[in-house]
Amino acid sequence: MANIAEDALRRSTSLSERPSLDARPVPQRTHSGSMRLGHAPSPSHSHRQSFTEQLRGLPPSPRQNRHLSLSQVQMQELLNNPPTTGSADPKFADRDWQHIAVGELVYPEDLRFVELDTSIEDATKLLTENSAPVLLVRASKHEKSAVATFDYRDLTQYLLFATGQLFPDDEHLVVFQNLARKAQQGQKIPLRDAKSLGTKEPFITLPHTADLTAAVETFGGGVHRIIILKEGTNHALGILSQVRLVKFLWENGRSFPIIDQLYPFEIKELGIGSQQLISVNGDMPLKEALILMNNEGVTSLAVVDNQYNVVGNISNADVKLLTKSSSAPLLENTCIHFISVILSTRGMNDGKDSYPVFHINPYSTLAHTVAKLVATRAHRMWVVDVPTPSSTPGASAPTTPGLTPTVSHSTPISISHPSVSYPPHLSTSIAQSNPPFQPLSATPSVSASALPGQHMSGRLSGVVSLTDILNLFARASGLHPTDPEEARRKRRGSSSSSRSGLRESLDSARSSVVDLSMKR
């Protein structure tokens, strides 16, 4: 921009030395009978500025006051130790974080309640329209105590059930058949029946007077949220999540030396994270990725290209884009295509382009990692190694997946038509709070082999989650949290056991659900 401004000023100077075009006399015809053109302007005609006059008011070049750029060392230091985005709360200054009560970090106005008899469709509408990460389920409207929760993991399970992708074990076969019968008849399914659809997030509570040490130790063992109750009662006062606690410790880190001293260390030095990875290729159909995410009991998946470079991320929260029957084709399309929908929708909501930044490398500092987690409100960062060269050099590919998709002209563009559909009550009851989707025919999917993953991230090698970070904080403070890997194994084992059953039972359940999906 500075060069453009200087060029404009030079043209302005050179032009100003010439006679103004407006000052030149207008030629007149002297032939008899011809029209004589006068050069005096009409009194009612206002003076029109010339291009030269418009340029004279340009500001001076920014180069005149340009400061020296940061050196490479200074830039790396800024990346390794980014400043906190929020200001520290003065009420926590000079206090030992281990003695801060959990009740000081929650707010009753954040709570959203539904009842056991609330339909899944109505609960979904409340969940998506209020951007709430979780709803508390109570027995009736007069109760202040919660008996369960409803979140995006539950919504994913119901979505898979409604489209014939969720299979029960023999213990829950009868329950599934009853739910399928209700759906076929157009009846709404209450939340009290949704508990049979799969494994739920643990329902953990703490009194509001409990210290943060109890929360950090619990979160370090793999729990994602804690319901905070008024001491001595079952009345819910708020919800403390891993995201909120990590954000609090990050913004007030200077007040907590035990934690603050860990931030300059690299992820590799701290030895945190996991190499037990679950990822999907960008060309995999979205419905298969959701099934894998549900079966493995995880909340998000890394999406990789053919060289295992990370090109995106799909989480349980993204299923809010699938809650209308018009979104059913997305289930049959690829994961890469769904990422393009996620990014473009996020861009329309936020008013700016969005870019997948869910990755770090082994040499990233803990400060850099936590800053990214807090900024994106993500639950994990994918660890990537040195980028690998693409197997298709020269292939046309987008700089950001889905925002500016380009495909090779030699490859025909084809959009598959879905074989699944939504039950009538689901397609009409759930409101769409997001901007309307662009027609699928106008947003072709880019093959995973054509993605420049080596330019966007690098080869997937590990993952660091909020659980890993809070486990580190707990151990550094002398606490004894559960091993995160053990918690992950138990979660996957629980999800796997819910899928084990006789083949005949699975086939019977699937046919029931498909029938309800096909009826409109």
Side-chain angles (χ1 to χ4, degrees):
M1 294 299 294
N3 292 335
I4 295 175
E6 288 184 344
D7 291 341
L9 285 173
R10 293 193 197 99
R11 289 195 299 269
S12 173
T13 303
S14 61
L15 289 172
S16 62
E17 295 173 354
R18 303 175 184 176
S20 172
L21 295 176
D22 292 346
R24 298 177 183 176
V26 181
Q28 300 178 6
R29 294 189 179 185
T30 57
H31 298 90
S32 60
S34 64
M35 184 177 293
R36 180 182 180 88
L37 299 178
H39 65 275
S42 170
S44 60
H45 185 273
S46 60
H47 174 68
R48 182 177 180 180
Q49 285 187 328
S50 67
F51 179 70
T52 304
E53 292 173 326
Q54 293 176 8
L55 289 177
R56 288 172 182 165
L58 283 178
S61 170
R63 286 189 174 184
Q64 297 177 2
N65 299 317
R66 186 178 65 178
H67 299 286
L68 293 177
S69 302
L70 291 174
S71 67
Q72 184 176 359
V73 175
Q74 291 173 319
M75 180 62 71
Q76 189 61 46
E77 178 66 19
L78 182 61
L79 291 174
N80 290 340
N81 300 282
T84 57
T85 55
S87 57
D89 193 331
K91 74 176 182 179
F92 297 112
D94 301 323
R95 291 179 61 183
D96 186 347
W97 72 269
Q98 300 183 60
H99 298 153
I100 295 175
V102 294
E104 298 182 65
L105 271 63
V106 298
Y107 308 95
E109 56 268 24
D110 292 341
L111 296 178
R112 298 290 184 273
F113 282 98
V114 288
E115 288 69 53
L116 283 171
D117 292 327
T118 302
S119 68
I120 295 179
E121 295 75 35
D122 292 339
T124 299
K125 181 178 179 180
L126 182 62
L127 186 70
T128 56
E129 287 187 347
N130 288 274
S131 299
V134 61
L135 303 178
L136 295 184
V137 183
R138 56 190 177 186
S140 67
K141 291 184 178 181
H142 306 291
E143 296 286 338
K144 293 184 179 180
S145 59
V147 296
T149 57
F150 181 79
D151 58 14
Y152 286 108
R153 182 176 181 178
D154 300 312
L155 179 57
T156 301
Q157 291 170 350
Y158 182 65
L159 177 66
L160 294 174
F161 164 77
T163 54
Q165 311 299 322
L166 189 63
F167 304 135
D169 55 15
D170 52 351
E171 180 182 354
H172 296 95
L173 176 59
V174 175
V175 175
F176 264 59
Q177 290 175 334
N178 291 335
L179 292 178
R181 193 174 301 109
K182 284 185 178 181
Q184 283 179 320
Q185 298 171 357
Q187 300 179 29
K188 292 187 176 182
I189 299 177
L191 290 177
R192 65 171 69 249
D193 294 339
K195 62 183 180 181
S196 304
L197 294 179
T199 306
K200 307 300 178 186
E201 177 76 16
F203 189 81
I204 306 296
T205 64
L206 279 177
H208 77 284
T209 55
D211 294 336
L212 281 186
T213 52
V216 169
E217 195 167 35
T218 301
F219 285 143
V223 174
H224 293 158
R225 59 174 173 265
I226 301 173
I227 313 301
I228 307 303
L229 307 178
K230 185 177 181 180
E231 187 177 24
T233 71
N234 291 325
H235 296 176
L237 296 179
I239 301 175
L240 183 62
S241 65
Q242 285 184 329
V243 173
R244 175 169 292 184
L245 181 54
V246 168
K247 183 175 185 290
F248 167 77
L249 294 175
W250 169 245
E251 293 180 348
N252 296 277
R254 296 189 182 278
S255 300
F256 314 135
I258 294 179
I259 293 177
D260 193 52
Q261 65 182 352
L262 298 172
Y263 287 129
F265 287 94
E266 296 174 353
I267 296 300
K268 188 175 182 179
E269 294 177 308
L270 295 172
I272 62 174
S274 172
Q275 282 70 49
Q276 302 297 319
L277 301 172
I278 302 177
S279 62
V280 295
N281 185 273
D283 291 335
M284 175 182 283
L286 176 61
K287 66 179 182 181
E288 295 182 18
L290 296 181
I291 293 172
L292 178 64
M293 188 159 54
N294 180 68
N295 290 347
E296 294 295 334
V298 296
T299 58
S300 65
L301 294 171
V303 180
V304 298
D305 64 9
N306 286 0
Q307 282 67 52
Y308 216 51
N309 296 307
V310 177
V311 294
N313 180 88
I314 294 176
S315 71
N316 271 330
D318 296 325
V319 300
K320 63 186 175 184
L321 302 179
L322 303 171
T323 54
K324 290 202 72 175
S325 58
S326 58
S327 306
L330 293 174
L331 289 171
E332 292 294 326
N333 218 310
T334 64
C335 292
I336 281 295
H337 178 76
F338 187 53
I339 288 176
S340 73
V341 174
I342 294 172
L343 297 180
S344 60
T345 304
R346 194 180 301 161
M348 285 187 286
N349 287 336
D350 299 340
K352 57 184 178 182
D353 288 345
S354 184
Y355 185 78
V357 291
F358 299 97
H359 64 269
I360 56 173
N361 64 64
Y363 302 100
S364 297
T365 61
L366 181 63
H368 179 75
T369 304
V370 172
K372 271 196 168 186
L373 287 166
V374 171
T376 60
R377 297 187 62 80
H379 287 86
R380 58 187 47 78
M381 283 286 149
W382 307 108
V383 182
V384 299
D385 288 334
V386 179
T388 58
S390 174
S391 62
T392 56
S396 180
T399 55
T400 302
L403 294 183
T404 55
T406 58
V407 294
S408 173
H409 293 291
S410 60
T411 304
I413 299 174
S414 61
I415 301 298
S416 58
H417 294 282
S419 59
V420 297
S421 58
Y422 287 66
H425 63 282
L426 181 62
S427 63
T428 57
S429 299
I430 299 180
Q432 182 72 27
S433 59
N434 298 293
F437 292 121
Q438 192 175 4
L440 291 181
S441 59
T443 56
S445 297
V446 179
S447 172
S449 63
L451 289 169
Q454 73 275 16
H455 299 303
M456 294 188 295
S457 58
R459 184 176 176 83
L460 180 63
S461 63
V463 60
V464 175
S465 67
L466 293 175
T467 296
D468 297 315
I469 293 173
L470 289 169
N471 184 279
L472 172 67
F473 291 166
R475 289 185 285 111
S477 304
L479 305 176
H480 304 282
T482 305
D483 181 11
E485 286 298 332
E486 181 64 26
R488 292 184 182 107
R489 284 191 293 269
K490 287 182 179 180
R491 183 172 60 245
R492 291 170 186 168
S494 175
S495 299
S496 299
S497 64
S498 67
R499 309 193 303 273
S500 61
L502 299 176
R503 186 68 232 174
E504 305 83 45
S505 300
L506 300 182
D507 292 339
S508 174
R510 183 173 186 176
S511 64
S512 298
V513 180
V514 169
D515 287 342
L516 75 89
S517 301
M518 297 304 294
K519 291 192 176 185
R520 306 298 291 176

